Amino acid sequence: MTTNPLFFRKTAIALTGLFLCLFLIVHLSANCILLLPKELAIPAYNSYSTLLRESPLIKIVAYLLYAAILLHVFYALLVTLRNRKAKPVRYAVNHAGENSSWASRNMGVLGTLILIFIVIHLANFWARIKLGLGEAVPSDPNGNLDVYSVTYELFQNAWFVAFYALMAIPLAWHLHHGLKSGFKTLGFYHQGGLRIIARISLIYAWIMGLGFGIIPIVVFFK
Amino acid sequence: MQVTFKIWRQNGPKDKGKFESYPVDDLTDDMSFLEALDHLNERLVVAGKQVIAFEYDCREGICGQCGIFINGRAHGPHDHMTTCQLHMRSFKDGDTIVVEPWRAASFPIIKDLVVDRSAFDRIIEKGAYISSQTGTAPEANAILIPKSVADKAMDAAACIGCGACVATCKNSSAALFTAAKINHLNRLPQGKAEQHTRVKEMTWQMNLEGFGSCTFTGACEVECPEGISISNIAELNARLLKSKISGS
């Protein structure tokens, strides 16, 4: 008997999703440096980003990250296509809001918004700093690439601030359902434990949403 | 009591189907929903029109035969209820009630509100039983089962196979039904001997029947007349993983 696609694809989505959840914790923790006063934030942020660029371990993690995002999207697409085929005719009247949350029914929509965000986010930072596309990144007095200035400049543009802050909403929604659902997909079924995981997912989603949403606004007003 | 039923009419599996409206003005609020449909059908017979096809058997909420999507909810507006237990007092005088069959590729429409749920039977045939000659009833204490285990098995065994889980699921996933059938037996000592083949073969049949993947929206456990918990699906995932690892 071959691998059951109904379960294999969901397991792949759950594993990659949980890995991405871990990554977001590290990402947000590092971004908190941006909340420090400028004179502390500039050397700390730039030396941290130099550390990341030069670490061979981070290089491996980065490739895992790219793979996780691509696989997460790929399998989510397969699951969505199959699920749509399983429900070819929709109900004329469907009060789905009375039995399930909007986010749980629209993970694909939320995920697509996040993917659009990731592409723009990578174009803003990764393309300029790692690929050297666009205007060259200056160095700070310590000789590190001045990644802080790239961030600061971007968030002087109110449109980008609004975009980054607003995109934290679909992210939080996606994470709230994704985290608790991921554990169930991986076979965690203890009912008391699931209630705790649901609460942790809610707290996690709030922290990620507020954290990623507020930082661009704080930098804008610096 | 006066209501207008807006009912899906479809002559056969290949027919396109459409909604038709039927105003009914002499209902009472203590009629069950199915009695109201009976009442409407009697009117249709007198008028020489074709009656509305719908399924039922016990009308006591235990057989799982009835199943209609009513006003945007599987089995009507209440949680954990079968269609036959729904009464007209749940609606207001003058309401328009939209009545649709279960919608899922794996539950093709036979006629009007009747769908073919034999996909469930084929899943059951793949292992929702134990292969033993039962003969006469064995001595009651021959196999000791702790009360907590028996209760948990019974919680899953309560599934009546009505199909509301598939009907309400946006992915038409049969995961709650299949999980209930598997967990019922796999939780008991009698079911352990075949637990790995059971979980693999029943879930594989679920795949072959064209049901979707579970994405844990939780709609199924709300509409399930027996209130079977969605944690059963998580347990099924664990069992499937265990059976893969065990390699049997």
Side-chain angles (χ1 to χ4, degrees), chain A residues 2 4-7 10 82-83 86-87 91-95 98-100 104-105 177 184-185 187-189 191, chain B residues 71-73 100 103 105 166-169 171-172 203-204 207 211-216 223 229 231 237-238 240:
Chain A
T2 47
N4 192 327
L6 290 183
F7 295 86
K10 282 285 313 202
R82 160 89 191 231
N83 287 351
K87 197 84 153 183
Y91 293 104
V93 178
N94 191 356
H95 294 160
E98 292 174 17
N99 57 33
S100 53
S104 73
R105 283 178 276 118
H177 178 73
K184 287 183 235 176
T185 300
F188 190 87
Y189 64 90
Q191 280 192 325
Chain B
N71 267 358
R73 295 281 301 273
E100 298 176 71
R103 299 281 190 195
V166 173
T168 193
C169 177
N171 314 320
S172 295
T203 50
W204 184 248
N207 171 45
F211 292 106
S213 277
C214 169
T215 54
F216 290 106
E223 303 299 12
S229 165
S231 63
N237 290 340
L240 190 62

Side-chain angles (χ1 to χ4, degrees), chain B residues 50-129:
Chain B
Q50 212 174 68
V51 295
I52 296 145
F54 63 93
E55 268 191 294
Y56 64 88
D57 189 7
C58 73
R59 299 210 182 191
E60 289 181 328
I62 54 172
C63 77
Q65 284 304 298
C66 61
I68 304 176
F69 211 80
I70 303 160
N71 267 358
R73 295 281 301 273
H75 291 306
H78 303 289
D79 300 351
H80 312 310
M81 189 186 266
T82 56
T83 300
C84 64
Q85 298 301 294
L86 176 67
H87 286 75
M88 293 312 290
R89 55 180 166 269
S90 297
F91 304 97
K92 288 195 296 290
D93 193 41
D95 270 2
T96 295
I97 306 170
V98 182
V99 183
E100 298 176 71
W102 285 169
R103 299 281 190 195
S106 308
F107 285 172
I109 295 173
I110 297 170
K111 189 175 167 55
D112 297 337
L113 305 172
V114 180
V115 298
D116 177 2
R117 285 172 287 185
S118 57
F120 272 10
D121 300 335
R122 291 187 290 274
I123 293 174
I124 287 194
E125 283 166 13
K126 289 292 172 184
Y129 52 81

